[in-house]
Amino acid sequence: MSALKDSDREVYEIILSESNRQNNFLELIASENFTSQSVMEATGSVLTNKYAEGYPGKRYYGGCVHVDEVENLAIERAKKLFNAEYANVQPHSGSSANMGVYLAFLNPGDTILGLDLSHGGHLTHGSKVSFSGQIYNSVTFHVDKNTGLVDFDNLKKIAQEYKPKMIICGASAYPRTIEFEKFRDIADSVGAFLLGDICHNSGIIAAKKHPSPFPFCHVVSTSTHKSLRGPRGGIILLGKDYENPFKIVAPKSGRIKMMSELIDGAVMPGIQGGPLMHVIAGKAVAFKEALSDNFKNYIQSVLDNAKAFEKNFKDLGYNLVSGGTDTHLVLLDLQNKNISGKQAELALDEAGITVNKNMVPFDPRSPFITSGIRIGTPALTTRGMGFDEIKEITKMIDLVINNFDNEKVISSVKNNVQELCNQFPLNL
Ligand code: DSN
């Protein structure tokens, strides 16, 4: 960063500080990861200089020969990775991908049915503070109070009552396998369209260690920077492309449009202008990495590490939502620990351990306080940490939670965090 160092010391220093933070803190936010140097290079490349509104071969600008090549590469690799017939790699984020899907298939006021935010869902699955709950008539289903698993009886009941046009499966804080087939049965029973938002699990799905959303989901969206370990961004996938079931026709020919045409038009020009070609190049690089055996091994370690957290926390008397995990995350319910999620997040941050406070199902506290914390393994695993380190980190988290107002304990944990980080340098 020598040019930046000379030209803009302020921004340079901020980036340096963030780099130090990433090196010296234990990153346990389930939705974060460390991309490879190759992904960083592609994402920081000259492709950021290029406007390329449109799609490969059909752009509104000249000079697109090379960005066409890279977008086609990203599309082909995404299709191969997820066994999909169609991929749109332009959404700027997972939220934009969902917005593109809604714009493609829904009209304002249509009913959508998604998992309640406080039960692990996502803002864009119908929360009233998001466009998804403001433009569309959103209703929610929830998890079972005893098991913490999706309550399919509740889902069916709500689906039958409200007859949604779209059901959304997938979550931000759900530690268990997404049962796509069961969602599809219910969607079929009420004539709803099924969107699989696989943002959190996409790396696990790509490594074939979680069931595929295809053929059950009509359409799939995901971000690219979580367990998939790519640059920040989103994509939309179709297992099979076919005529849209809503009979939306092309104005001139009267032909029923293909699903892919609706998605393409919704993403650009519907919600976005020029695609971020540098990020699309980063996605292409990440997809190639995710197709490798190394990535499969990495994801197996992500899952093994999450299982290790499950066992260690249970041994220490913690309650885990749903009793454990099948994925890359555990959700600790701290109600028996005399500490809120917010207090735990703050104390852990002081100790150099980054987590996020999280609502637990049927949480008596507000989203700003919460009764839980979410802990994920993708970033630690990228750093090379395994069972021994997970054991040590569990102990450190437990110590902080039990002594959250004891500065001496927190400072001694911080020293241990530093030692551990030094053993696993990120070299950022
Ligand atoms: N904000 C993301 C997460 O942390 O899960 C979801 O998009």
Side-chain angles (χ1 to χ4, degrees), residues 31 122 172 200 226 374:
S31 48
H122 188 254
S172 274
H200 265 265
K226 299 188 172 91
R374 187 182 64 162

Side-chain angles (χ1 to χ4, degrees), residues 30-31 149 170-180 198-205 209-211 227 298-311 320-331 374-378 381:
S31 48
L149 302 176
S172 274
Y174 185 69
R176 295 295 182 175
T177 301
I178 308 171
E179 296 174 278
F180 298 113
I198 60 167
C199 271
H200 265 265
N201 299 353
S202 54
I204 312 175
I205 291 168
K209 293 178 192 290
H210 182 290
S227 56
Y298 158 69
I299 288 292
Q300 188 57 55
S301 303
V302 165
L303 298 174
D304 292 344
N305 282 343
K307 273 284 173 206
F309 268 134
E310 171 191 307
K311 181 180 181 318
L320 277 66
V321 172
S322 85
T325 181
D326 305 322
T327 63
H328 60 303
L329 69 89
V330 295
L331 194 54
R374 187 182 64 162
I375 291 182
T377 54
T381 310

